[in-house]
Protein backbone atom coordinates (compact mmCIF):
# COMPACT_ATOMS: atom_id res chain seq x y z
CA UNK A 1 0.00 0.00 0.00
CA UNK A 2 1.08 3.62 -0.24
CA UNK A 3 2.89 5.64 2.41
CA UNK A 4 -0.22 7.64 3.32
CA UNK A 5 -2.04 4.42 4.26
CA UNK A 6 0.96 3.19 6.26
CA UNK A 7 1.15 6.55 8.05
CA UNK A 8 -2.52 6.38 9.00
CA UNK A 9 -2.10 2.83 10.31
CA UNK A 10 0.94 3.92 12.31
CA UNK A 11 -0.96 6.89 13.76
CA UNK A 12 -3.90 4.69 14.74
CA UNK A 13 -1.58 2.25 16.53
CA UNK A 14 0.22 5.12 18.26
CA UNK A 15 -3.10 6.41 19.63
CA UNK A 16 -4.05 2.92 20.78
CA UNK A 17 -0.69 2.22 22.41
CA UNK A 18 -0.71 5.59 24.19
CA UNK A 19 -4.04 4.74 25.77
CA UNK A 20 -5.85 7.52 23.92
CA UNK A 21 -8.00 4.87 22.21
CA UNK A 22 -9.28 2.74 25.06
CA UNK A 23 -12.37 1.18 23.48
CA UNK A 24 -11.23 -2.10 21.91
CA UNK A 25 -14.22 -2.48 19.63
CA UNK A 26 -13.91 1.07 18.29
CA UNK A 27 -10.20 0.49 17.71
CA UNK A 28 -10.84 -2.72 15.76
CA UNK A 29 -13.53 -0.93 13.74
CA UNK A 30 -11.01 1.79 12.84
CA UNK A 31 -8.51 -0.90 11.77
CA UNK A 32 -11.22 -2.59 9.68
CA UNK A 33 -11.97 0.75 7.97
CA UNK A 34 -8.33 1.11 6.96
CA UNK A 35 -8.18 -2.51 5.83
CA UNK A 36 -11.28 -1.93 3.66
CA UNK A 37 -9.16 0.44 1.55
CA UNK A 38 -6.89 -2.45 0.52
CA UNK A 39 -7.52 -4.88 -2.33
CA UNK A 40 -9.40 -8.00 -1.26
CA UNK A 41 -7.15 -10.75 0.08
CA UNK A 42 -4.35 -8.37 0.94
CA UNK A 43 -1.95 -9.92 3.42
CA UNK A 44 -1.46 -6.46 4.94
CA UNK A 45 -5.13 -6.34 5.82
CA UNK A 46 -5.12 -9.75 7.48
CA UNK A 47 -1.96 -8.78 9.37
CA UNK A 48 -3.39 -5.51 10.71
CA UNK A 49 -6.64 -7.18 11.71
CA UNK A 50 -4.70 -9.97 13.45
CA UNK A 51 -2.67 -7.41 15.36
CA UNK A 52 -5.83 -5.57 16.40
CA UNK A 53 -7.51 -8.70 17.71
CA UNK A 54 -4.32 -9.82 19.41
CA UNK A 55 -3.71 -6.46 21.06
CA UNK A 56 -7.25 -6.38 22.43
CA UNK A 57 -6.98 -9.75 24.13
CA UNK A 58 -8.28 -12.14 21.48
CA UNK A 59 -5.39 -14.39 20.52
CA UNK A 60 -7.88 -16.99 19.31
CA UNK A 61 -9.25 -14.57 16.69
CA UNK A 62 -5.74 -13.42 15.73
CA UNK A 63 -4.26 -16.85 14.94
CA UNK A 64 -6.16 -17.54 11.69
CA UNK A 65 -5.57 -13.98 10.50
CA UNK A 66 -1.81 -14.19 11.07
CA UNK A 67 -1.81 -17.51 9.19
CA UNK A 68 -3.78 -15.91 6.35
CA UNK A 69 -1.37 -12.98 6.14
CA UNK A 70 1.64 -15.29 5.99
CA UNK A 71 0.00 -17.65 3.48
CA UNK A 72 -1.00 -14.75 1.22
CA UNK A 73 2.54 -13.40 0.91
CA UNK A 74 3.03 -10.85 3.66
CA UNK A 75 6.78 -11.27 3.19
CA UNK A 76 6.46 -10.04 -0.39
CA UNK A 77 5.23 -6.71 1.00
CA UNK A 78 7.46 -6.47 4.05
CA UNK A 79 10.00 -8.91 5.50
CA UNK A 80 9.77 -6.91 8.76
CA UNK A 81 5.99 -7.39 9.03
CA UNK A 82 6.36 -11.04 8.06
CA UNK A 83 8.76 -11.54 10.95
CA UNK A 84 6.47 -9.63 13.30
CA UNK A 85 3.61 -11.87 12.20
CA UNK A 86 5.63 -14.98 13.04
CA UNK A 87 6.55 -13.61 16.46
CA UNK A 88 3.02 -12.52 17.24
CA UNK A 89 1.51 -15.74 15.90
CA UNK A 90 3.84 -17.77 18.12
CA UNK A 91 2.80 -15.68 21.12
CA UNK A 92 -0.87 -16.12 20.26
CA UNK A 93 -0.42 -19.86 19.83
CA UNK A 94 1.19 -20.00 23.25
CA UNK A 95 -1.70 -18.04 24.73
CA UNK A 96 -4.09 -20.49 23.05
CA UNK A 97 -2.34 -23.45 24.72
CA UNK A 98 -0.29 -24.51 21.68
CA UNK A 99 3.26 -23.48 22.62
CA UNK A 100 4.83 -26.36 20.66
CA UNK A 101 3.56 -24.72 17.45
CA UNK A 102 5.14 -21.46 18.59
CA UNK A 103 8.48 -23.20 19.10
CA UNK A 104 8.28 -24.77 15.64
CA UNK A 105 7.44 -21.40 14.10
CA UNK A 106 10.17 -19.38 15.82
CA UNK A 107 13.10 -21.78 15.96
CA UNK A 108 14.01 -21.14 12.29
CA UNK A 109 13.90 -17.40 13.02
CA UNK A 110 16.99 -17.81 15.22
CA UNK A 111 18.96 -18.37 12.01
CA UNK A 112 17.23 -15.66 9.95
CA UNK A 113 18.95 -12.47 8.90
CA UNK A 114 19.47 -10.34 11.98
CA UNK A 115 17.32 -7.28 12.61
CA UNK A 116 15.80 -5.31 15.47
CA UNK A 117 13.31 -8.11 16.12
CA UNK A 118 15.95 -10.69 17.12
CA UNK A 119 15.40 -10.18 20.84
CA UNK A 120 11.62 -10.35 20.45
CA UNK A 121 12.05 -13.71 18.68
CA UNK A 122 14.13 -14.96 21.59
CA UNK A 123 11.76 -13.60 24.24
CA UNK A 124 8.64 -15.17 22.73
CA UNK A 125 10.47 -18.41 21.98
CA UNK A 126 11.63 -18.47 25.62
CA UNK A 127 8.02 -18.10 26.78
CA UNK A 128 6.91 -20.93 24.50
CA UNK A 129 9.74 -23.14 25.77
CA UNK A 130 8.84 -22.34 29.37
CA UNK A 131 5.23 -23.30 28.69
CA UNK A 132 6.57 -26.67 27.60
CA UNK A 133 8.63 -27.06 30.79
CA UNK A 134 11.87 -26.27 28.99
CA UNK A 135 12.81 -23.40 31.28
CA UNK A 136 16.60 -23.82 31.01
CA UNK A 137 16.48 -23.43 27.24
CA UNK A 138 14.22 -20.40 27.57
CA UNK A 139 16.46 -18.80 30.17
CA UNK A 140 19.47 -19.41 27.94
CA UNK A 141 17.75 -17.55 25.09
CA UNK A 142 16.81 -14.63 27.31
CA UNK A 143 20.28 -14.36 28.86
CA UNK A 144 21.85 -14.53 25.42
CA UNK A 145 19.61 -11.71 24.20
CA UNK A 146 20.20 -9.64 27.32
CA UNK A 147 23.97 -10.04 27.16
CA UNK A 148 24.22 -7.79 24.10
CA UNK A 149 22.54 -4.93 25.95
CA UNK A 150 24.59 -4.98 29.13
CA UNK A 151 27.24 -2.31 29.67
CA UNK A 152 29.39 -4.92 31.47
CA UNK A 153 29.38 -8.70 31.92
CA UNK A 154 28.52 -9.40 28.28
CA UNK A 155 31.01 -12.22 27.92
CA UNK A 156 30.10 -13.89 31.19
CA UNK A 157 26.33 -13.69 30.55
CA UNK A 158 26.80 -15.08 27.06
CA UNK A 159 28.89 -17.92 28.53
CA UNK A 160 26.22 -18.64 31.16
CA UNK A 161 23.62 -18.77 28.41
CA UNK A 162 25.69 -21.34 26.51
CA UNK A 163 26.08 -23.43 29.69
CA UNK A 164 22.32 -23.54 30.24
CA UNK A 165 21.46 -24.90 26.83
CA UNK A 166 23.79 -26.56 24.37
CA UNK A 167 23.90 -25.16 20.84
CA UNK A 168 21.10 -26.30 18.50
CA UNK A 169 21.93 -28.52 15.55
Amino acid sequence: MDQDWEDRVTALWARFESGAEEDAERFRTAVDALVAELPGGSPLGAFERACAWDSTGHSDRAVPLYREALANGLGDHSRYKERRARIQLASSLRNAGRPEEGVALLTPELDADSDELDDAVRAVLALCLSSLGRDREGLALVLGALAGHLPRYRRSMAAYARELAPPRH
Side-chain angles (χ1 to χ4, degrees):
M1 199 57 191
D2 65 16
Q3 191 58 49
D4 174 65
W5 186 86
E6 290 285 351
D7 291 345
R8 289 183 290 136
V9 168
T10 300
L12 178 61
W13 277 102
R15 284 192 308 276
F16 178 74
E17 290 171 358
S18 73
E21 178 62 68
E22 296 180 15
D23 182 89
E25 188 172 339
R26 187 169 49 214
F27 170 69
R28 289 191 306 266
T29 298
V31 168
D32 286 344
L34 286 169
V35 167
E37 297 176 22
L38 297 171
S42 169
L44 292 171
F47 173 71
E48 293 300 337
R49 290 183 62 229
C51 294
W53 280 109
D54 205 2
S55 295
T56 57
H58 296 277
S59 295
D60 57 324
R61 301 281 301 265
V63 167
L65 291 166
Y66 285 132
R67 290 191 191 281
E68 177 184 334
L70 291 167
N72 288 347
L74 183 60
D76 295 338
H77 292 273
S78 169
R79 170 63 182 130
Y80 181 79
K81 287 186 180 185
E82 177 186 39
R83 198 163 197 219
R84 280 185 52 206
R86 290 183 193 286
I87 294 165
Q88 292 164 206
L89 173 56
S91 178
S92 292
L93 287 165
R94 176 186 166 272
N95 290 336
R98 298 177 357 229
E100 65 284 342
E101 291 179 53
V103 170
L105 188 64
L106 286 185
T107 299
E109 289 295 322
L110 293 173
D111 297 322
D113 290 339
S114 183
D115 63 20
E116 66 191 63
L117 296 173
D118 289 351
D119 292 340
V121 166
R122 284 167 176 75
V124 173
L125 181 53
L127 287 169
C128 290
L129 288 167
S130 180
S131 292
L132 293 170
R134 295 164 60 186
D135 295 322
R136 287 181 62 91
E137 289 175 73
L139 180 58
L141 283 170
V142 172
L143 280 177
L146 176 64
H149 301 283
L150 297 173
R152 297 189 51 103
Y153 316 112
R154 288 179 186 196
R155 288 186 55 213
S156 57
M157 287 301 136
Y160 294 145
R162 286 189 300 276
E163 286 175 18
L164 285 167
R168 305 172 292 103
H169 295 300

